[in-house]
Every structure is written in structure tokens, then in C-alpha cells.
Amino acid sequence: MFTGFKYTLYTAFILLPLLGMSQEIPKANLVQQGPLLVPTGFASKAIIEDLGKARHIVATPEGNLYVKLAKPVDGKGTLFIQQENGKAKVTNGFGDYGGTGIHLSDQYLYTSSNEDVYRYKLNALHEVIDTNAPEKIIEGLIDRGQHNSKSLTMDNEGNIYVNIGAYSNSCQIKDRQRGSMGMPNCPILDSAGGIWKFRADKLEQGYGDGQRFGTGLRNVMGLDWNNKTNELFVMQHGRDQLHGVFPDQYTEKQSAELPAECMYVIEQGDNAGWPYIYYDGFQKKKLLAPEYGGDGKKEVKDKYIDPVAVYSAHLAPNALLFYTGDQFPEKYKNGAFIAFHGSWNRAPEPQAGYFVAFQPFKDGRPNGEWEIFADGFSGSPENTAKGRADHRPCGLAQGPDGSLYIADDVKGTIYKITYTK
């Protein structure tokens, strides 16, 4: 566990907003309070370590945590962490499958593998009654190794939304191969590359029992239901390798800075355009993808929805959480926290990300510049630039007292951020 390193954020991260604001944000004014850099008045603490590859997390009304592991540890893919007298410890583990998705309702805990979604009945204290008796509510979802995590969220009408990522970078005939064109009428979209909607109270559902709620989404790791607006918000991982696949059309620098990572509001039947388009945050336009005849200039104005906010390329938004608590200052109320897992493909530019950001909202939509809220996960600026992070933020949860929890999927640390001022 790293502790005590201090540095000032050394570069301005790029914001490419839709609202005409500055394309750059100022250096974040963060201070070292605990293991992380956070705004003045906040404090961070690592409440538990070495859990395994901790992905998404949820907090119970009693202040305990459920953590989904990408890979089971000692045969346990979901961990139950109890907190008492300022100390956290694992008191239970269950489910012999790895995965990412986890969601808590009053009566059930929902978890996902990379192919299926399960639910566990809870008691009045939101503890799983029988860890050996999960019910499979969704089965047989596409898992071909690439973008295969199944993230989850629910609305208030008993529907569960599942990301089914595209098992491709850009639907080429030969995936990620130089010069290979896109497959006509991309067949991947029939079963992946979108958000599917299922009932949370029906067992053994397959594709035929669900609805393709939104399509044209390459991969959505972070999604959350906004209870204030009653809408589904998602964060898309943008495509890779514009230069690697079409070197005559894109420079290495352009490939490092394009396309934008996008936040969308998804309604039934929406199409965000993957693989046919990508969003260029510098031009503030939807552009035709090179695999489908684009040249970095051809604009696509209609047919596909616009993002509601855009962010720097390749930061990998792995979690989205609307903050509804009362502990943090008023500016955070109903805004969104985003866990940026960090890049691997911004060369020759330095790698970036490895932080949790905050996006202000007003009247149910992003409003104003986003800011880095928690940093220092990587261990040092040099680690960040090289893409060799000690820790990488992956999951977010809000505690009953309004604290923010962050899961790290490198070393399995869970952080807690509180407002102390």
C-alpha cells in the first residue's frame, strides 16, 4: 500500500464539453489527506486491502459493503464487508464466479458473471439469507473475451439494465487489423454493443425475454439510474487505434486524443452510433468512422443521439454514480462521480486517468466543467505517465451517511472519502 507521497497535479486534463466552455480545466486544487489527494475539507482512508480484483461495489443501509471480484479468491466471487467501530473486515464470501456487476435493492442482491445475472434474497439487515441458493434471472449473454463485463443498474419499476459490450474495437472484418473495413450492418449489434433491459423478478431470461434498450454503445462499464430525472445515464468507452488501423488518415497524436469518452442519456430505442461514428471533441461533431468511409472530417448530423457530456480520450470510465447524500457540500448534490480507470493507449502522449472525477449537474443535465475529485491512486506522476498504476479506481458506492467508497481492482483496496470540514 502506498502512503505519504505528495505532488501537485502536473498537467491540465482536457475537457471537451458540448456547452462551449473552455477545452481545458485548471490544475486540480487537491491536498494529501490520507492515501489520496482530495479537495480541501475532505479526507480519505483505505478501510481494507488485498481483497483481489475488486470491481463494482454497493453499500447497504447499515453501512456494510458488497464487493464483486473480477476473479474469485478462494472460490468466492462476492465479498461481504462489515464495518464496526471504524474497522472493516470480510465476514462472508460466496458465488464461485467472477464478474463486475452488482446492485442492491431492498429485498435482493444482484450480481453478474460475464454471462449471467443472479439474485440473492436478503434479510431485514440486507444480509444474504442463503449464499448457496442464488436464483439465475438472466443467462447466456455473449462473452467472447473482449468487453465482456456485465455492469448492472435498476430503475424504480422493477427493470434491470445490463451492459453487453461489443466483442470488437470497431466491427472490422478483421478486428484491429490495419486497413480492414467495417462489416456491413454490423452483426455484433444483434446481441452486443448496447444495453439490454430485463425484468428483475423473472427467472432464467435470455435475449428473447429482454429488450435491446439502447444500441450503438461499444462498451459501457459505468451506468447509473438517475432517480431525480428517472433516466438511464451511461459512460461509453470510446474506440481505440485510429492511427494503428488507418495510419494514412490519423497521426499518432490524433489517435491518442480521439475519440472523446462520452456520457449519454439512453431512452428506449436510442442509437449512439458505434461502430459507424465516433465523437470528435475538438470539432464537437459526430464523425463517420474510417472503417465505414470516414476521413476524420465527414460529419454525421442525424440518426444517432448526441452525448450530454464528453471527456478526454481513452480514460476508461469504469463507474458512474449519482450523489444523493447530504454529507458533502451542496454543489455535489445530484451531480455525478466517475471512476476513470486509466489509459493504456495514449502514446506518444503520457498515459492519463487513474482518478475519480466529479461532473456538476443542473436541471438533470451536466452543467459546467468537470473536475478531478480524488487522485493519487497510481502512486506517482511517473506511474501515471507510464500507465503503471499501483491502484486503479473501478467501482463507486455511496454509504448511508453520504460517504463515498471507491474500489481498486489492482490490489483490492477499498477507499472511503468523507467530508470533515
Side-chain angles (χ1 to χ4, degrees):
M1 172 69 187
F2 67 93
T3 57
F5 80 86
K6 299 178 182 290
Y7 67 90
T8 301
L9 287 176
Y10 57 98
T11 186
F13 291 92
I14 293 182
L15 170 65
L16 307 171
L18 304 178
L19 304 176
M21 299 172 286
S22 169
Q23 287 193 357
E24 293 188 357
I25 59 172
K27 294 179 180 179
N29 296 316
L30 304 180
V31 295
Q32 188 91 42
Q33 293 289 348
L36 300 177
L37 292 148
V38 291
T40 300
F42 289 85
S44 68
K45 179 182 180 181
I47 64 168
I48 197 165
E49 302 176 83
D50 301 321
L51 296 178
K53 294 184 178 297
R55 301 290 278 176
H56 286 179
I57 55 176
V58 292
T60 73
E62 295 75 28
N64 301 314
L65 301 172
Y66 287 100
V67 181
K68 193 75 196 75
L69 302 181
K71 297 180 180 179
V73 174
D74 296 328
K76 311 300 182 183
T78 301
L79 303 179
F80 182 56
I81 297 173
Q82 289 188 298
Q83 297 191 80
E84 188 174 354
N85 298 324
K87 295 184 178 180
K89 63 178 180 180
V90 177
T91 60
N92 201 357
F94 51 93
D96 60 356
Y97 51 91
T100 293
I102 193 163
H103 186 85
L104 186 76
S105 73
D106 286 339
Q107 293 183 310
Y108 290 96
L109 176 74
Y110 299 85
T111 65
S112 71
S113 70
N114 292 335
E115 295 181 348
D116 307 313
V117 180
Y118 302 84
R119 70 178 186 179
Y120 297 82
K121 183 70 174 175
L122 301 174
N123 63 21
L125 297 176
H126 298 91
E127 298 168 341
V128 172
I129 295 171
D130 188 347
T131 57
N132 295 314
E135 296 179 311
K136 185 183 291 186
I137 64 168
I138 306 168
E139 59 186 359
L141 304 178
I142 287 283
D143 175 9
R144 296 191 180 172
Q146 185 175 180
H147 306 146
N148 58 349
S149 299
K150 304 299 185 288
S151 302
L152 308 174
T153 194
M154 286 181 64
D155 63 19
N156 298 310
E157 304 297 327
N159 299 304
I160 189 164
Y161 299 84
V162 185
N163 165 61
I164 306 177
Y167 46 93
S168 171
N169 177 39
S170 53
C171 206
Q172 292 172 276
I173 295 171
K174 295 183 178 179
D175 190 35
R176 300 180 186 264
Q177 297 301 303
R178 180 173 295 186
S180 179
M181 300 305 290
M183 289 186 277
N185 299 314
C186 181
I188 290 172
L189 294 172
D190 288 345
S191 58
I195 305 296
W196 265 253
K197 174 183 174 181
F198 298 91
R199 290 296 303 173
D201 57 359
K202 184 179 179 182
L203 303 183
E204 299 180 354
Q205 300 169 88
Y207 281 101
D209 300 292
Q211 294 179 325
R212 188 172 59 175
F213 187 73
T215 191
L217 293 160
R218 178 175 175 268
N219 189 33
V220 170
M221 287 287 296
L223 73 169
D224 196 16
W225 188 261
N226 187 327
N227 287 305
K228 185 175 178 62
T229 66
N230 207 36
E231 295 172 309
L232 177 67
F233 282 72
V234 306
M235 295 293 306
Q236 176 174 234
H237 282 221
R239 58 151 309 148
D240 304 324
Q241 299 172 303
L242 284 167
H243 172 75
V245 176
F246 291 92
D248 295 336
Q249 296 185 39
Y250 299 89
T251 66
E252 288 183 309
K253 183 174 176 62
Q254 286 176 314
S255 192
E257 296 180 339
L258 295 172
E261 307 280 43
C262 295
M263 177 188 288
Y264 293 98
V265 178
I266 303 296
E267 298 180 357
Q268 178 69 54
D270 278 346
N271 188 338
W274 181 91
Y276 308 112
I277 67 164
Y278 64 88
Y279 194 87
D280 185 319
F282 295 98
Q283 299 186 58
K284 300 180 183 176
K285 295 178 180 178
K286 294 173 291 190
L287 300 184
L288 189 65
E291 291 84 355
Y292 292 90
D295 59 1
K297 300 177 182 178
K298 292 180 182 178
E299 186 177 0
V300 180
K301 293 185 178 181
D302 302 317
K303 189 174 182 179
Y304 307 114
I305 63 171
D306 290 313
V308 293
V310 295
Y311 307 85
S312 302
H314 312 305
L315 299 187
N318 268 20
L320 174 67
L321 175 73
F322 286 102
Y323 185 79
T324 59
D326 296 320
Q327 181 187 133
F328 291 4
E330 183 63 24
K331 71 173 252 186
Y332 295 98
K333 188 83 168 188
N334 297 313
F337 287 104
I338 305 165
F340 285 109
H341 196 239
S343 67
W344 60 269
N345 54 351
R346 289 177 60 90
E349 303 301 308
Q351 300 304 325
Y354 316 100
F355 55 72
V356 173
F358 175 71
Q359 172 66 66
F361 267 59
K362 182 180 180 180
D363 299 326
R365 291 293 181 268
N367 181 268
E369 295 180 348
W370 62 277
E371 61 191 45
I372 300 172
F373 176 79
D375 204 351
F377 296 91
S378 72
S380 70
E382 294 75 22
N383 285 0
T384 295
K386 295 177 181 178
R388 299 175 181 172
D390 291 340
H391 302 259
R392 302 178 77 173
C394 186
L396 299 171
Q398 179 185 304
D401 63 350
S403 297
L404 179 69
Y405 292 92
I406 305 167
D408 145 56
D409 69 352
V410 176
K411 295 184 178 179
T413 301
I414 306 296
Y415 302 91
K416 181 179 183 179
I417 296 181
T418 56
Y419 186 64
T420 60
K421 203 165 184 178

